Amino acid sequence: MRKITVNVIALNILFVIGATVITTFLFLAAMRDESERLAKVEQEQGIQTFWRLLRAKGTDFRIVDGKLMAGDYVLNGNFELPDMIQSIFGGTATVFMGDTRVATNIRREDGTRAVGTKLNGPAYDAIFRHNKPFRGEALIFGIPYFTAYDPIRNSRGEIIGVLYVGARKNEFHSRYEHYKVNVIAGAAVISTIFTVLAFVVLRDRKRHLEALQDNETKYRTLFESSSEGILLFDGVIFDCNEQLCRLFGSSRNEIIGRSPVHFSPELQSDGTPSAEKARHMLNTTLGGEAGIFPWQHRRQDGTLVDTEVSLKALTIQGRTVLQAVVRDVTEWEKAEESLRMIRLQQQAILDNIPDLVWLKDIESRFITVNAAFAQACGTLPADLVGKTDLDIWPSDLATLYREDDARVIASGKQVRTEEPLADVNGKGVWIETIKMPIYDEAGTVIGTTGIARDISERREAELKLRENEARLARAQQIAHVGNWEWDILNNSVQFSDELLRIFRIPPGQPNMTYETFLEAVHPDDRQAVNDTINATLHEQAPYGKTYRIICPDGEIRHLRAEGEVEFDAEGAPVRMQGVVKDITVSTLAEEALRESEARFREIFEQNEDAIILMARETLDIIDANRAAETLIGRDKESLNWLGPWSFIVPDDYNPFIAAIPPVDDTTPFHLNRIGVVRSDGTRLISSIWGKIIRLRDTEVVYCSIRDLTQRIRMEEEAQITHAHLIHTNKMASLGVLVSGIAHEINNPNTFIQGNASLIESFWRDTVPILDRHRTENGDFILGGLPVAEVERIFPRLLHGVKEGSRRISAIVNNLKDFAREDTAKAFVPIAVNNIVENAKMILSYQIHRYTDHFRMELAEGLPLARGKFQQIEQVVINLIMNALQALPGKDAGVTVSTSADPVASVVTISVRDEGEGMQWEVLERITEPFFSTKLEQGGTGLGLSISAAIIREHDGTLTFESTPGKGTTATVTLPLAYPAGERNHA
């Protein structure tokens, strides 16, 4: 019997240890999986952040002169973005041009950046062979990383590079290893405690069995050898065992004959007097109720010991005595504390799991929850113990959760479900829940446990994916285009919903193969289709084919297919995919048109205007004449495939569609100045006349397109000429006005000059008289000043009057020259520096008004140019005035410079301002007549257009360079009057 008991206890020990080990390893596996999931989430966040930083630099990705560009931002050798990603996430980041690293913070063994090294492995295969991003583990220089790779595409969708972020795998597992050590240590402590307790129980059981084998002798042996103190008393103690002596710290003689209260403190730990509590317990026991209660004893040395006392009444030789079994619970309390610490450690492990974790009893009451669960409830884990879902969640959600528990308990199986959750703030999320049953040793379900993870982002992504798929299906239905995919290795063919509709195949058709597809092809086209596909597979030729199919209802439809093939590393085809366009309507329309082509083909083809016929419902191009092909620069087949959107500029799409009459309305329509784009990118301005005509049973949109570009250009040139004439008349009128003003100014200025000379003569004669008077009579006051001061400043005042009069004469002469009609019939040699200086003098007021920094850098010995002095002066004045008006304040400056280029035989005038600069859209139109950015300030938009016309008449050039925020430079070139070296310089 004893051996069986030992074996049972040993088995229990092994079971507890085994369960602890298995639970520990399962928990560690879950922690490792969670660590790797968090690593993937972090890499995904890193790659998205990298994209946002890169797109902030520019969204036009391209390779220019061997450099990878994002807009104007050069990525080769530029470590700004990779280092920024490292500072945010602590990992590594790389930009690849093609499969070569051009910007990275990954280091070689020598510490240098790994620029120039190649991408390889599964990431290379995913990006460049399978045309998709890569997520997962990859080796980089032999070191495992958690990685995320995305392809970088240019505007044509071609992969021109790769974006990468990642982190070393061992860095993510370091925290896991730390927790792993703690968990294993905790499990070892738990196993050790269970083992020790089991051995203690085994030892006690052994003693009891030995005591029961004998009668009085054996009982005595048990009494004496009991690990618990035993005493017998009937008012005073008349017997006790050795364990009690050790417990009380007294000998048997010191104990016998004394009351048990003698070995107790005056008050128990709950504050009750020991004598009073002892009487109560004695009366209860003598009343027939055995009791177990805590008691505090006092040793002989005065120390207190906590015990548990089991008290019952016995009848020995006809008298009633009391037996008290006293157990020292000090070690037991320590074991309880150890178990409490273990529970705290286990709770800490649960609390470190970011998902919601809980444990319920058979009544669905919470036994324990982790911190994440409590946080979702807005309370503490301890506050949830004993509560049900009805106490925590809204009633509808609580009912749903309890139904899940009931299913788990009833089936005894794991249940995985997706369900809603509302946190304490009312925020609704979706969670994925896994609930499992908990069994006792008999295999009976005694409760449930569960874990829930927030999947709101995943569900939102799935919802967006379904929405995008629905949009794609709708777009395919509208365009009558379907897509297909052929798994060549498994001979499995997948059709999109629209393609199933085109083939008249019911949705969900199983086991579609290549042979199924061929059976649907018209017998007359089947061999040609098969040959074309074989050529694509084996010769890697482009796949494009027009063929017919026979639908299950006997209808014949015309299709146009395009596709491409994916090959494995050995060059074997593994997958083929493409699109199919239903061109039945356009094909039948073409056949109908061919019936009447003999009647109007010659007129159609020989018409000088471009003519295009389109299907009314789909706007597919049915036909186009040679003039249309010439105008647009595309052949008829390309126009049929691409449609009208290949040549109508995007801004005119909606006006074009809106102009087409509705059904049953055949009213002609006209669109003037519609933009047309040729295949080479050239933009034309056209006029479209259209009407609805009927070919057979089909309504067709007839469009006649006429190129208005040349006519509009001639109209604009006429506007410029007209503006020039208007400006010439204005200048003639201004000349008359200026000549009159100059004459009126000259008359009083002549008086000033003559009187100033006479006053100067008077002053020379007056000075000796004043000196003599001062010598004789001393210093005196003249005009409020001492005469000595008057003699000093009067010559300067007189000089100022004469100099001012001279400047007035110079300004008046320049105005008269500017206003004088230019009667020269031919170009003559002109001095460009003189023109610039005259312009400065004429604009001197405006210059001082707008800037404190006007500079002239005139080349010395500048050759003479060929032209008309007044017209070039007009251009220079206009350019300087525009530069002054562009300045933001007087601290900004204008610089006018001249130079000569003997090789090009030109003289150059450059006007550079430090103004706001111009955007490209403004710069492109700056010389258009009546275009101005200063209309509100009185600008006419004619100055630069007339200046450009003048410079063209001089066989020169007028160009502009501008940088927004930095300023604009206008450059004029004029031909030299003589070949270099023939005549003297101006």
Side-chain angles (χ1 to χ4, degrees):
M1 184 66 172
R2 182 176 63 188
K3 183 176 181 181
I4 294 175
T5 303
V6 171
N7 290 338
V8 170
I9 295 176
L11 287 175
N12 287 334
I13 293 172
L14 292 176
F15 176 78
V16 171
I17 294 175
T20 303
V21 170
I22 291 173
T23 303
T24 300
F25 279 106
L26 290 177
F27 183 70
L28 290 174
M31 286 182 60
R32 184 179 183 90
D33 292 341
E34 179 63 16
S35 175
E36 293 185 355
R37 187 190 72 82
L38 291 176
K40 294 176 182 177
V41 171
E42 183 169 327
Q43 302 318 307
E44 192 64 32
Q45 292 174 345
I47 197 74
Q48 295 304 321
T49 302
F50 205 170
W51 272 117
R52 288 194 290 270
L53 293 174
L54 182 59
R55 290 190 176 110
K57 300 297 184 181
T59 58
D60 181 17
F61 302 112
R62 62 193 188 282
I63 296 177
V64 179
D65 297 331
K67 301 287 187 180
L68 181 61
M69 308 285 292
D72 296 330
Y73 187 77
V74 180
L75 295 170
N76 292 58
N78 191 336
F79 308 116
E80 176 189 1
L81 297 185
D83 290 347
M84 190 177 297
I85 291 297
Q86 186 178 38
S87 67
I88 297 172
F89 295 98
T92 58
T94 298
V95 179
F96 292 82
M97 184 177 71
D99 60 350
T100 303
R101 292 180 176 89
V102 297
T104 182
N105 55 23
I106 293 178
R107 304 282 180 167
R108 298 185 179 93
E109 292 182 357
D110 59 3
T112 60
R113 295 180 186 260
V115 174
T117 56
K118 297 288 188 177
L119 173 66
N120 52 33
Y124 178 90
D125 294 338
I127 297 293
F128 293 101
R129 292 179 179 167
H130 302 297
N131 195 24
K132 62 183 183 180
F134 176 79
R135 302 289 188 274
E137 294 185 25
L139 292 178
I140 302 178
F141 298 122
I143 299 173
Y145 280 72
F146 288 118
T147 65
Y149 292 85
D150 276 354
I152 300 175
R153 303 176 185 273
N154 60 18
S155 59
R156 297 186 298 275
E158 300 168 342
I159 297 177
I160 61 172
V162 182
L163 213 60
Y164 151 83
V165 296
R168 291 192 178 188
K169 184 176 179 181
N170 59 1
E171 293 178 358
F172 277 95
H173 287 319
S174 61
R175 184 168 54 186
Y176 162 76
E177 294 296 332
H178 173 71
Y179 285 128
K180 176 180 176 182
V181 172
N182 290 341
V183 171
I184 292 175
V189 171
I190 293 173
S191 300
T192 301
I193 291 173
F194 278 129
T195 302
V196 171
L197 291 176
F199 277 112
V200 170
V201 172
L202 178 63
R203 185 183 62 187
D204 291 344
R205 180 63 58 86
K206 178 181 178 182
R207 290 177 178 173
H208 287 298
L209 289 176
E210 291 175 350
L212 291 175
Q213 291 176 359
D214 301 321
N215 293 325
E216 183 65 26
T217 304
K218 293 180 180 179
Y219 168 76
R220 192 65 196 175
T221 303
L222 177 62
F223 182 79
E224 291 296 339
S225 62
S226 175
S227 62
E228 299 167 347
I230 302 175
L231 61 87
L232 299 173
F233 66 99
D234 56 358
V236 293
I237 300 171
F238 61 85
D239 198 2
C240 67
N241 64 358
E242 287 297 324
Q243 179 62 22
L244 188 70
C245 295
R246 288 192 292 272
L247 185 64
F248 285 181
S250 302
S251 66
R252 183 185 298 270
N253 293 331
E254 292 172 334
I255 295 175
I256 299 298
R258 293 184 181 275
S259 170
V261 178
H262 176 77
F263 299 97
S264 304
E266 183 176 351
L267 297 175
Q268 288 296 305
S269 57
D270 60 358
T272 304
S274 295
E276 179 182 337
K277 189 170 185 179
R279 282 193 299 271
H280 173 73
M281 298 308 301
L282 289 175
N283 293 332
T284 300
T285 303
L286 292 173
E289 298 181 14
I292 299 176
F293 53 90
W295 194 268
Q296 195 172 60
H297 289 285
R298 182 177 60 197
R299 295 175 181 271
Q300 189 175 14
D301 60 5
T303 60
L304 300 177
V305 57
D306 291 327
T307 66
E308 181 182 71
V309 177
S310 176
L311 186 65
K312 67 179 179 178
L314 301 175
T315 301
I316 300 177
Q317 296 178 353
R319 65 171 180 152
T320 301
V321 297
L322 296 173
Q323 174 185 281
V325 179
V326 183
R327 179 182 301 161
D328 186 352
V329 296
T330 304
E331 294 299 325
W332 179 80
E333 289 178 345
K334 291 181 179 178
E336 282 288 315
E337 179 64 18
S338 298
L339 288 175
R340 189 182 69 84
M341 292 302 297
I342 292 172
R343 293 192 189 98
L344 290 175
Q345 292 172 355
Q346 292 175 336
Q347 184 67 40
I349 294 173
L350 289 177
D351 290 343
N352 279 321
I353 298 176
D355 297 331
L356 279 61
V357 182
W358 65 90
L359 188 69
K360 295 180 181 178
D361 62 17
I362 195 67
E363 301 296 331
S364 289
R365 291 187 294 264
F366 287 101
I367 299 173
T368 184
V369 299
N370 70 344
F373 189 101
Q375 183 178 4
C377 300
T379 184
L380 299 174
D383 297 336
L384 297 174
V385 175
K387 293 185 178 180
T388 68
D389 292 305
L390 295 171
D391 301 321
I392 300 172
W393 312 113
S395 59
D396 55 339
L397 295 181
T399 302
L400 177 64
Y401 301 157
R402 290 174 66 84
E403 290 174 354
D404 293 342
D405 293 343
R407 281 194 293 148
V408 173
I409 294 172
S411 65
K413 296 180 180 179
Q414 180 189 95
V415 172
R416 181 188 294 264
T417 183
E418 294 182 5
E419 51 198 3
L421 174 72
D423 63 14
V424 67
N425 298 318
K427 178 183 178 184
V429 298
W430 278 89
I431 57 174
E432 180 183 38
T433 303
I434 302 174
K435 293 186 176 181
M436 296 169 289
I438 302 175
Y439 298 94
D440 62 9
E441 295 179 353
T444 303
V445 177
I446 61 172
T448 60
T449 183
I451 183 169
R453 175 171 298 169
D454 187 348
I455 58 169
S456 300
E457 293 183 0
R458 190 191 77 190
R459 282 179 63 91
E460 184 177 355
E462 292 173 350
L463 178 60
K464 290 182 179 178
L465 177 61
R466 287 194 293 271
E467 291 175 351
N468 290 336
E469 290 175 347
R471 292 193 190 100
L472 175 61
R474 179 58 180 162
Q476 289 186 349
Q477 184 178 1
I478 294 173
H480 305 292
V481 175
N483 64 287
W484 52 270
E485 181 175 324
W486 176 25
D487 184 348
I488 299 173
L489 299 180
N490 298 315
N491 193 20
S492 173
V493 177
Q494 299 292 330
F495 279 7
S496 69
D497 292 343
E498 178 61 16
L499 196 54
L500 290 172
R501 190 195 65 78
I502 292 173
F503 275 73
R504 301 294 191 267
I505 298 175
Q509 182 75 17
N511 302 323
M512 290 186 60
T513 63
Y514 177 68
E515 289 72 23
T516 306
F517 158 71
L518 281 181
E519 288 175 2
V521 178
H522 194 287
D524 295 342
D525 297 342
R526 191 173 297 158
Q527 187 60 47
V529 170
N530 190 50
D531 292 343
T532 303
I533 292 177
N534 286 333
T536 301
L537 295 178
H538 300 102
E539 301 174 11
Q540 300 188 9
Y543 175 64
K545 188 67 178 176
T546 300
Y547 56 89
R548 295 166 294 170
I549 62 170
I550 301 179
C551 298
D553 58 4
E555 180 185 4
I556 297 177
R557 304 195 69 80
H558 299 258
L559 309 179
R560 173 65 185 177
E562 303 284 344
E564 61 181 17
V565 181
E566 293 182 17
F567 299 89
D568 61 15
E570 289 72 30
V574 295
R575 183 177 289 101
M576 187 174 182
Q577 54 191 356
V579 296
V580 171
K581 181 178 177 62
D582 185 354
I583 58 173
T584 304
V585 174
S586 59
T587 302
L588 294 179
E590 289 175 0
E591 293 175 355
L593 284 174
R594 281 196 292 271
E595 295 179 1
S596 61
E597 186 174 0
R599 294 191 294 270
F600 67 90
R601 174 57 62 181
E602 184 175 355
I603 297 175
F604 180 76
E605 290 293 346
Q606 292 183 2
N607 199 311
E608 293 182 357
D609 290 339
I611 300 175
I612 290 178
L613 300 179
M614 295 179 292
R616 180 169 187 167
E617 292 183 358
T618 64
L619 296 184
D620 290 337
I621 293 179
I622 300 171
D623 203 355
N625 66 355
R626 285 191 294 270
E629 293 178 334
T630 302
L631 177 67
I632 300 171
R634 298 184 186 276
D635 58 26
K636 195 179 305 181
E637 185 175 358
S638 297
L639 289 173
N640 176 266
W641 176 253
L642 298 173
W645 322 120
S646 62
F647 62 85
I648 296 178
V649 298
D651 291 343
D652 292 335
Y653 285 176
N654 291 335
F656 177 74
I657 295 173
I660 298 175
V663 178
D664 299 330
D665 185 354
T666 59
T667 305
F669 62 90
H670 176 227
L671 295 170
N672 196 26
R673 294 190 177 231
I674 291 292
V676 172
V677 182
R678 289 176 49 82
S679 60
D680 60 3
T682 304
R683 288 203 171 197
L684 306 176
I685 302 174
S686 65
S687 171
I688 298 181
W689 291 87
K691 65 179 299 184
I692 306 300
I693 63 175
R694 181 172 291 277
L695 297 180
R696 270 184 141 189
D697 296 330
T698 305
E699 287 189 340
V700 176
V701 182
Y702 173 96
C703 290
S704 174
I705 306 174
R706 179 169 296 176
D707 184 5
L708 304 179
T709 307
Q710 187 63 29
R711 192 189 80 185
I712 292 174
R713 185 178 293 115
M714 293 175 65
E715 291 175 354
E716 290 178 350
E717 290 178 355
Q719 287 180 333
I720 295 174
T721 302
H722 182 64
H724 200 170
L725 291 174
I726 293 173
H727 185 71
T728 301
N729 290 334
K730 283 185 177 181
M731 293 304 295
S733 300
L734 181 62
V736 174
L737 177 63
V738 169
S739 296
I741 293 174
H743 178 72
E744 293 300 325
I745 293 175
N746 255 343
N747 287 336
N749 192 49
T750 301
F751 297 148
I752 293 172
Q753 288 178 336
N755 292 338
S757 298
L758 184 60
I759 291 172
E760 184 178 23
S761 177
F762 288 164
W763 175 251
R764 284 196 300 268
D765 294 341
T766 303
V767 168
I769 298 172
L770 294 174
D771 289 341
R772 187 165 55 252
H773 182 76
R774 183 176 58 183
T775 301
E776 294 174 355
N777 302 301
D779 203 0
F780 59 93
I781 301 301
L782 187 63
L785 294 174
V787 67
E789 184 67 15
V790 171
E791 290 180 355
R792 186 180 65 81
I793 67 173
F794 191 84
R796 293 192 337 201
L797 296 175
L798 188 59
H799 176 74
V801 171
K802 293 174 67 179
E803 180 61 22
S805 177
R806 185 192 64 77
R807 292 182 62 188
I808 291 173
S809 296
I811 291 173
V812 169
N813 290 334
N814 283 331
L815 287 173
K816 290 166 68 178
D817 290 340
F818 179 73
R820 185 178 297 114
E821 182 180 359
D822 190 356
T823 58
K825 302 299 183 181
F827 295 146
V828 297
I830 56 176
V832 170
N833 284 351
N834 290 346
I835 291 175
V836 174
E837 291 173 346
N838 285 351
K840 176 189 175 185
M841 183 172 292
I842 291 172
L843 296 175
S844 60
Y845 169 74
Q846 299 293 345
I847 291 172
H848 290 296
R849 175 187 175 190
Y850 283 102
T851 181
D852 293 334
H853 303 283
F854 184 85
R855 296 176 290 275
M856 293 201 307
E857 300 173 356
L858 307 182
E860 296 182 359
L862 191 68
L864 297 173
R866 181 172 60 86
K868 295 182 178 180
F869 188 97
Q870 282 185 322
Q871 289 186 353
I872 301 303
E873 184 180 51
Q874 177 183 346
V875 171
V876 174
I877 289 173
N878 194 7
L879 294 178
I880 294 176
M881 196 64 207
N882 282 346
L884 291 172
Q885 293 174 344
L887 298 180
K890 298 190 72 174
D891 291 337
V894 174
T895 301
V896 182
S897 60
T898 59
S899 61
D901 186 349
V903 177
S905 296
V906 294
V907 173
T908 300
I909 306 170
S910 176
V911 180
R912 184 175 71 255
D913 67 66
E914 298 171 359
E916 298 297 333
M918 294 178 286
Q919 298 291 338
W920 178 83
E921 295 83 357
V922 176
L923 195 64
E924 189 180 42
R925 302 183 58 194
I926 195 170
T927 57
E928 291 182 10
F930 307 110
F931 175 80
S932 174
T933 60
K934 299 176 291 184
L935 292 175
E936 296 180 356
Q937 289 79 31
T940 64
L942 294 174
L944 290 179
S945 64
I946 293 174
S947 297
I950 292 173
I951 297 303
R952 282 198 300 272
E953 291 174 2
H954 281 70
D955 294 330
T957 63
L958 174 58
T959 59
F960 297 88
E961 295 180 1
S962 185
T963 301
K966 294 186 178 180
T968 303
T969 300
T971 304
V972 175
T973 63
L974 297 170
L976 294 178
Y978 309 103
E982 284 194 7
R983 296 290 297 270
N984 293 333
H985 296 164

